Amino acid sequence: LKGFPHFMLKEIYDQPETVRNACRGRMIVSEGVSVLGGLQSKMEEIKNLRKLIIVSCGTSYHAGLIGRYIFENLTDLNIEVELASEFRYRRLRLDETTAVLAISQSGETIDTLAAIREARRKGALTIGLVNVVGSTIARETDCGVYCHAGPEIGVASTKIFVSQLVILNLMALLIGRYQSVSLNEGVAVIKALQNLPDQISDILAQASQLEELAKTYQKYPNCLFIGRQMHTAVALEGALKLKEISYIHAEGYAAGEMKHGPISLIDENFPTIALLSNDASYDKMINNIQEIRARSGPVFAITYTGDAQAEKVADDIFRVPETHELLQPILSVIPLQLFAYYCARFRGTEIDKPRNLAKSVTVE
Ligand code: F6R
């Protein structure tokens, strides 16, 4: 545990190294491209793909939702993202121009495995993004990429989520550079990946600020997380982290849905964590915060370093460094992991082994 009281906290602090391990030997800066040995044997098929379906569960599903944006931005593929437990029961039209990408830390999740088996039966190429070397999903997919993140012991997934997001960028870059992505666009992603470990360390150095905020927010029985675009999935992940280890009821929502229902929950006892980033959704998020504040809802905003508005409208803010737009979720999820961790600590729950949960779900 290297002096950490819980594996979860250790694994959160491992993340600069996790990013380095995910990238090691996998990038050629001057060509703006990635090298993924595990996909090499199927590269001809991969180059001719038209559609990619991402299947996974839980936190790995949230990585898949962010993966959709990454692939849509860096490749010309059509992308679908599906919960593995739902994918299995669809009437699917799969052929050799479709690949199914399974994302799984353990490589043993029964629904994800069943989805891969179904995809293979129907003739699709199957690709794994797995952490545990030699696991069943790693063995049963046609090709794949490992996270190389070492074991993740805490039941709540943290460093593997970050690793998955890094590798989704590398995979998309590999395919995209055969399609329309330019050299400069490729170089920009790779340079941003190289800077990530230090940026993550900067966030970790401010953990005490999140501990302070958690002291206040853990007193509320409920918590809403909102974001837009890629940060909708970060909101889902922040809510999952908080609910699974602190047992605070938490929901993640696309901020654009607020007026379609959830805003009726808001009062002075129902806080919202709002995720802002420096992109086209920024003004709309500020608007969301103002609407929540107008109904007396406490708001804690996670925003970027140069933002001048959030501190004026939110009750509390935490700033993360700016990076390439496609990598921003990697930085914004880290304060949410720490926030969930500290809330759980104040509430005295069993952080590394939450009640009713297992690290890998091998039975339905
Ligand atoms: C949440 C969590 C789970 C897993 C899910 C999938 O913190 O850890 O939601 O992400 O059970 O597991 P893998 O990635 O092993 O297929």
Side-chain angles (χ1 to χ4, degrees):
L1 267 167
K2 287 194 221 146
F4 287 99
H6 297 96
F7 281 105
M8 181 180 178
L9 192 63
K10 174 192 173 291
E11 286 157 4
I12 292 172
Y13 276 80
D14 278 346
Q15 291 176 119
E17 196 52 28
T18 308
V19 171
R20 283 188 203 104
N21 290 340
C23 293
R24 186 165 295 116
R26 290 174 164 174
M27 308 192 296
I28 306 175
V29 190
S30 59
E31 292 175 35
V33 76
S34 57
V35 187
L36 298 169
L39 302 184
Q40 221 49 54
S41 63
K42 298 287 173 189
M43 220 40 229
E44 279 318 304
E45 280 158 88
I46 290 173
K47 280 187 210 168
N48 292 318
L49 289 175
R50 297 164 66 92
K51 183 170 173 181
L52 181 71
I53 307 178
I54 305 177
V55 293
S56 41
C57 305
T59 290
S60 296
Y61 171 67
H62 299 153
L65 291 174
I66 295 171
R68 170 161 58 204
Y69 281 85
I70 296 170
F71 276 94
E72 278 179 358
N73 275 277
L74 293 177
T75 74
D76 302 334
L77 296 172
N78 289 310
I79 312 294
E80 270 185 47
V81 189
E82 180 89 90
L83 286 165
S85 54
E86 297 290 325
F87 173 89
R88 292 176 61 177
Y89 301 106
R90 284 177 57 194
R91 192 160 179 279
L92 293 158
R93 290 151 195 85
L94 301 176
D95 61 24
E96 66 281 0
T97 66
T98 302
V100 176
L101 168 62
I103 306 179
S104 176
Q105 187 287 127
S106 61
E108 303 295 345
T109 301
I110 186 75
D111 284 314
T112 312
L113 178 60
I116 280 296
R117 288 178 176 158
E118 185 63 19
R120 282 190 81 168
R121 176 177 297 119
K122 293 202 156 69
L125 179 75
T126 56
I127 307 173
L129 168 44
V130 171
N131 186 45
V132 177
V133 176
S135 55
T136 313
I137 294 173
R139 282 185 278 111
E140 292 202 15
T141 39
D142 296 306
C143 57
V145 181
Y146 281 121
C147 294
H148 292 314
E152 188 180 59
I153 312 269
V155 163
S157 182
T158 51
K159 66 176 182 176
I160 300 304
F161 180 69
V162 158
S163 182
Q164 289 165 343
L165 295 181
V166 167
I167 294 171
L168 287 167
N169 275 281
L170 294 176
M171 278 186 176
L173 205 51
L174 178 73
I175 300 172
R177 289 285 284 126
Y178 287 109
Q179 301 177 340
S180 34
V181 172
S182 70
L183 171 64
N184 286 350
E185 286 173 302
V187 170
V189 175
I190 288 188
K191 289 205 163 150
L193 280 168
Q194 289 177 321
N195 289 331
L196 268 188
D198 288 345
Q199 293 180 310
I200 295 174
S201 299
D202 288 347
I203 298 172
L204 297 173
Q206 300 176 67
S208 58
Q209 216 178 307
L210 292 156
E211 187 174 3
E212 269 310 299
L213 289 167
K215 199 187 280 178
T216 310
Y217 283 85
Q218 55 91 21
K219 293 180 186 142
Y220 296 106
N222 301 293
C223 190
L224 188 65
F225 288 71
I226 56 169
R228 286 173 185 262
Q229 299 174 33
M230 299 175 99
H231 284 84
T232 303
V234 180
L236 295 176
E237 175 60 9
L240 178 59
K241 286 290 90 86
L242 186 64
K243 77 179 93 168
E244 71 179 327
I245 61 166
S246 75
Y247 314 146
I248 294 170
H249 170 234
E251 296 295 331
Y253 254 98
E257 283 292 293
M258 285 304 281
K259 287 200 178 98
H260 302 286
I263 201 162
S264 72
L265 292 167
I266 299 298
D267 63 17
E268 67 279 9
N269 292 315
F270 204 116
T272 301
I273 300 195
L275 293 151
L276 289 95
S277 56
N278 192 7
D279 60 25
S281 70
Y282 177 81
D283 290 339
K284 290 190 176 168
M285 284 303 304
I286 292 286
N287 212 15
N288 279 119
I289 295 175
Q290 285 167 331
E291 285 170 354
I292 294 164
R293 292 294 302 121
R295 287 154 184 84
S296 309
V299 176
F300 167 23
I302 309 277
T303 188
Y304 56 94
T305 320
D307 176 15
Q309 278 192 71
E311 63 189 351
K312 297 191 189 123
V313 289
D315 299 283
D316 296 295
I317 73 163
F318 184 86
R319 295 174 187 277
V320 298
E322 272 190 85
T323 176
H324 189 288
E325 191 171 330
L326 297 177
L327 306 182
Q328 198 64 47
I330 298 174
L331 297 181
S332 24
V333 78
I334 289 167
L336 301 184
Q337 297 169 342
L338 285 163
F339 178 79
Y341 173 80
Y342 288 119
C343 284
R345 243 177 104 168
F346 285 119
R347 291 170 74 104
T349 54
E350 278 243 32
I351 294 178
D352 283 335
K353 283 190 193 309
R355 65 187 180 203
N356 311 335
L357 289 176
K359 183 68 183 160
S360 58
V361 182
T362 53
V363 284
E364 281 181 68

